[in-house]
Amino acid sequence: AEVQEQAVALFKETFGVEPSVGAFAPGRVNLIGEHTDYNDGFVFPMALDGKVCVVVGRKSDAEKCRVVTAAAVAGDRRYEFSTPSLSNPLLPSEKASFQWYSYFLGVVAGFDANRGNIPTFDAAIATSVPLGGGLSSSASLEVATFTFLEQLCPDLRRSDQAEKALLCQKAEHEFAHVPCGVMDQFIATMATQGHALLIDCRSPPSGELVAFHDPDSVILVTNSNVKHNLGSSEYPKRRQTCEEAAEIMQKPALRDCSAELLESHRAQLSDVQFRRARHVISECQRTTDA
């Protein structure tokens, strides 16, 4: 409620009217299955209670769409852009790759495939998901933005939640230039109270809700204060290394490799390739066992 109130207050302060629609999506923590999603493996995340991104807004008569964020971001907290159409599509920009609005623009572009059915609108964003904290602030923004657009354009609402998650992932790939797996967008889209989500990341990915009601168990999430930026970190390099290892073993992905196959190719792999592949192969097994 506090984040929603913050978004509504920011919208009224910026645009002078009340928002008419709104949407939210949660941050997440991954219980088990690290660096497995982009290797076609398994992951087991759950949504964070009370950590959400909220997008509120309304249609407008302005010439351009206007969006403002309450988050403490580098640079301008307000951005304007023309509504996308086939003749004037929203396109990725290297300059905007690491700006907060690149995630927002990517979703707007993919929501209607630049067909021109999205009206001009104003929007305000507020979030309680720590930025760069490894809790998927980007996916929560993407899914909240997509759901906001569904509220704004109900005729374009998606019934397939997997399609929605994949479109949000595509937005991050193309507009933020981050080669992320699908875990974050899936849990932000499909999260259900009292459940974790076992995701099979092989295309087409699928998710299975798993009840998590054990009164004797508590999930403790701590803040290491280490900042994450997938686009400029080791993440893309890790993904490339894993793909190279799978190719050397002549498999589509590390998900298809066994510990025995890995060991038989040890001499052909660099030390880094071997260690990262070993982690993914064992982690896939641990996740399904769990």
Side-chain angles (χ1 to χ4, degrees):
E2 183 178 336
V3 186
Q4 178 181 334
E5 291 172 0
Q6 185 183 16
V8 170
L10 176 62
F11 187 89
K12 290 166 63 177
E13 175 189 336
T14 305
F15 303 112
V17 291
E18 292 272 357
S20 61
V21 297
F24 74 93
R28 66 97 186 103
V29 64
N30 191 28
L31 300 176
I32 190 171
E34 296 299 329
H35 294 282
T36 53
D37 59 341
Y38 56 83
N39 288 291
D40 284 0
F42 298 87
V43 289
F44 194 46
M46 65 185 298
L48 287 171
D49 185 29
K51 297 297 183 184
V52 297
C53 178
V54 174
V55 180
V56 301
R58 65 183 298 146
K59 296 178 183 178
S60 81
D61 297 324
E63 292 184 359
K64 291 188 175 184
C65 295
R66 301 175 294 185
V67 58
V68 61
T69 179
V73 295
D76 200 341
R77 295 194 301 118
R78 185 167 170 168
Y79 189 75
E80 297 184 358
F81 59 96
S82 299
T83 51
S85 65
L86 291 176
S87 60
N88 185 32
L90 274 176
L91 299 173
S93 165
E94 289 289 343
K95 181 179 178 181
S97 291
F98 302 118
Q99 297 294 332
W100 62 271
Y101 52 80
S102 63
Y103 303 93
F104 190 91
L105 294 179
V107 174
V108 174
F111 180 78
D112 184 43
N114 286 317
R115 291 191 182 95
N117 294 315
I118 299 175
T120 305
F121 64 84
D122 294 327
I125 303 166
T127 184
S128 57
V129 183
L131 303 184
L135 301 177
S136 192
S137 58
S138 58
S140 63
L141 171 57
E142 291 154 8
V143 175
T145 301
F146 199 104
T147 308
F148 161 75
L149 292 172
E150 289 182 312
Q151 299 297 314
L152 202 66
C153 312
D155 291 343
L156 299 176
R157 184 176 286 121
R158 301 302 201 281
S159 59
D160 187 340
Q161 295 298 291
E163 178 192 8
K164 180 175 176 177
L166 289 169
L167 284 170
C168 289
Q169 180 200 32
K170 182 180 179 183
E172 188 153 341
H173 283 184
E174 295 184 352
F175 278 73
H177 301 288
V178 176
C180 61
V182 77
M183 171 178 67
D184 295 349
Q185 290 81 7
F186 253 67
I187 185 63
T189 301
M190 302 180 184
T192 300
Q193 187 173 12
H195 292 73
L197 185 68
L198 178 63
I199 305 172
D200 181 347
C201 299
R202 166 140 286 165
S203 182
S206 59
E208 176 187 351
L209 288 167
V210 179
F212 202 92
H213 296 299
D214 186 352
D216 296 323
S217 298
V218 174
I219 303 298
L220 179 63
V221 181
T222 60
N223 186 358
S224 66
N225 289 314
V226 174
K227 292 295 182 182
H228 299 257
N229 185 332
L230 295 185
S232 60
S233 68
E234 282 290 311
Y235 183 91
K237 296 178 183 178
R238 283 181 178 273
R239 179 165 187 158
Q240 182 180 356
T241 301
C242 291
E243 290 171 349
E244 290 169 349
E247 184 176 357
I248 289 170
M249 290 185 280
Q250 299 183 328
K251 293 293 183 179
L254 289 180
R255 177 230 180 98
D256 303 295
C257 301
S258 64
E260 293 75 20
L261 181 66
L262 175 66
E263 188 61 40
S264 70
H265 285 79
R266 181 191 279 264
Q268 299 167 252
L269 298 165
S270 70
D271 180 60
V272 172
Q273 288 172 333
F274 179 83
R275 287 187 288 109
R276 289 181 175 172
R278 181 178 59 191
H279 164 77
V280 172
I281 293 168
S282 62
E283 188 77 349
C284 283
Q285 187 62 52
R286 289 177 65 234
T287 304
T288 52
D289 290 346

